[in-house]
Amino acid sequence: MTEISESLCRKGYRLTPQREAVLKILLENPNQHLAAEDIYAMVRKSHPEIGMATVYRTLELLSKEKIINQLSLDEGNCRYELESQARYHQLVCLKCGKITEFNDQLLAEMEERLAAENKFQIVGYLLKFYGYCGQCASAEG
Ligand SMILES: [Zn+2]
C-alpha cells in the first residue's frame, strides 16, 4: 500500500480515502478479477458515501498509471486486478479472438516449485495457448 501511495504521489496524485478504499478491496481479494460492480458493492460497505462514478474514475486512473490491470475477459465486461498479482492463463482463439480464462491447480503447484527451486519470488505470469475455439473449429469442418 505504501509503495502504491508513493508511486501515486510521484505522479502528482493524492491517495484520497476513496482511492485507498478501492485499492484496499483489490489488495484484499487477490486474483479475483473483480468487476467494477463487485468493487463498488464491497467499497460501499466501509464507505457508503462513494458513488459508482467515483469507483469508475478511480479504476480508470489506477489502470492508466499501471497500478492495476484492466482485463477484458468477456464482451464489454472489464475486470480488474493489481498489476503485481497478474496471473493469466488464457486460451486465445486465433479466428474470433475469444479469450477463455482457465485455471488449473497444476499451475499453482508449478509456480511454487519453480519459486522454491530457483529461489525466485514470482509475482505474476502470462500463459497463453493459441488455437481455435470449439465454435471456430467446428465451423472450419
Ligand atoms: Zn473462435
Side-chain angles (χ1 to χ4, degrees):
M1 186 56 97
T2 333
E3 245 172 78
I4 293 169
S5 123
E6 273 168 13
S7 133
L8 273 177
C9 270
R10 267 198 307 276
K11 286 163 179 156
Y13 298 106
R14 227 157 41 83
L15 189 64
T16 61
Q18 291 92 337
R19 286 173 183 165
E20 190 175 343
V22 170
L23 266 174
K24 218 165 151 254
I25 297 296
L26 288 157
L27 280 167
E28 284 167 0
N29 296 276
N31 306 316
Q32 292 290 310
H33 298 159
L34 297 170
E37 295 76 32
D38 305 329
I39 296 167
Y40 175 60
M42 290 178 188
V43 165
R44 291 272 297 197
K45 284 179 201 155
S46 54
H47 292 75
E49 77 285 359
I50 291 185
M52 191 68 205
T54 306
V55 171
Y56 272 124
R57 270 201 308 272
T58 303
L59 290 170
E60 224 166 86
L61 165 75
L62 294 175
S63 33
K64 200 181 91 192
E65 295 306 326
K66 306 264 179 262
I67 290 166
I68 60 174
N69 272 326
Q70 185 178 340
L71 310 166
S72 304
L73 295 180
D74 30 48
E75 206 96 358
N77 191 359
C78 284
R79 289 172 178 274
Y80 300 89
E81 67 181 4
L82 284 176
E83 174 69 28
S84 61
Q85 292 169 337
R87 277 162 176 76
Y88 296 94
H89 346 87
Q90 299 176 332
L91 304 173
V92 184
C93 180
L94 292 169
K95 191 148 186 244
C96 68
K98 189 168 106 180
I99 296 173
T100 309
E101 270 270 311
F102 69 92
N103 222 325
D104 195 310
Q105 181 54 31
L106 209 57
L107 290 169
E109 287 166 21
M110 184 174 77
E111 185 183 336
E112 250 175 63
R113 189 165 50 80
L114 283 172
E117 282 175 1
N118 299 289
K119 297 199 186 345
F120 191 87
Q121 188 194 354
I122 295 171
V123 296
Y125 56 76
L126 174 64
L127 182 61
K128 288 185 179 194
F129 291 95
Y130 294 95
Y132 301 94
C133 72
Q135 235 169 355
C136 291
S138 61
E140 288 288 300

